[in-house]
Amino acid sequence: MISSQEQIHPNHFAEPLLSWYDASKREMPWRDCGDPYRIWVSEIMLQQTRVDQATPYFHRFLGHFPTLEALATANRHEVLMAWEGLGYYSRARNLHDAAKTVLSKHGGVFPQTYHEIRALKGIGPYTAAAVASIAFGLPHAVMDGNVIRVLSRYFGIQEDVSLPATKAQIQQLADGLLDTARPGDFNQAVMELGATVCTPKSPLCAGCPLSTGCVAYKTGKTAELPFKAPKKKIPHHQIVVGICVDDEDRILIALRPEDKMLGGLWEFPGGKVEAGESRKEALIRELKEELGVEVMPGLRLCEVKHAYTHFKITLNAWICRIKTGEPEPRPKASKKLRWITSSELTEYPFPKANRKVTEALQTWLENRRKA
DNA sequence: AAACCGGGGTA
DNA sequence: TACCCAGGTTT
């Protein structure tokens, strides 16, 4: 907590910050456009995603869906195709659902109050405050990873910032510092400072407009703040998948359930290798469980390593034939299957790890055709 | 409060 | 390798 003597006059914070922002801000395709749709899409893409990573996807997405109505009237498959590779696919599903809500419940006009914005799918406290302030000039302070870092250093907050109580304290500080004449610019300025100057490692304090009032800078503790409790180790799984090919070189793919991880994307059937089991044994077992048929693994096509947020995988893919006399593959409940040609692989959204497999597969098929 | 949800950049 | 990112939802 900060004592009363250390209370900061908002102007001593906002004024130098906004001057710095006006002179130093980066160009972004959604910045200073005044279009709630573009600002909204950008804020969803920027959840847990850096500006440089999101920018090409923003252009691609707006190319497919230039207006809210275009997005609302598109189908799920198209939306996920435009999002493929960006991750956190629930963002795309929620964005799509929310666009439909705005069209049907708000007459296609983006809602202009904090609470109506907050009520849309995929919009939490951060995004509601961001859109409200940036698109509509409403006085709501954002709190994201940048704000947490900047304010925890500025005020010398030593409590664990992952605790809800600490976050509530930082939100209060942000609310008090907000420049109500320029709330959108103030919010973007704190985040811009966090992204370019007050960085997690090796912050550039010499170029910081707030250094003279910064507790962490004055006490040499920028490297210790913000404080977070150490994280747990994440597991590493061995994954096996089968690429079932029929006599006409068609390939079997499966649709992941909408409400699960990577929901709405397609994949090759497979699963985890269990303890005491060989990879091929696991492959035969998983495909028997998922498809109800016995397969014969042939060529091991490729190995892909991939890191998710909470676990890592090493994925091995085999070309498979379904044994003669077996029935047509039958998916487990709520899982759709489809036989497609190799050229159709690019028309279906795949997770990153599976996309690497489709690329290896197309290369292999091409080389086999030449030979 | 903790778990879950992708992918990529950075040191 | 470990950490982090313009977070939100679910349990």
Side-chain angles (χ1 to χ4, degrees), chain A residues 21 126 128 161 191 195 221 228 241 262 300 315 343 350 369:
Chain A
Y21 177 71
Y126 164 78
V161 296
M191 295 190 284
K221 293 197 169 176
K228 294 179 188 175
V241 301
L262 305 168
R300 191 171 68 86
L315 182 157
S343 62
F350 284 92
R369 201 170 301 129

Side-chain angles (χ1 to χ4, degrees), chain A residues 311-322:
Chain A
F311 59 95
K312 296 178 184 181
I313 63 167
T314 300
L315 182 157
N316 278 272
W318 274 265
I319 308 285
C320 291
R321 299 290 292 189
I322 295 172

Side-chain angles (χ1 to χ4, degrees), chain A residues 229-235 309-312:
Chain A
K231 288 176 184 171
K232 294 168 187 168
K233 277 200 171 178
I234 58 175
T309 313
H310 293 87
F311 59 95
K312 296 178 184 181

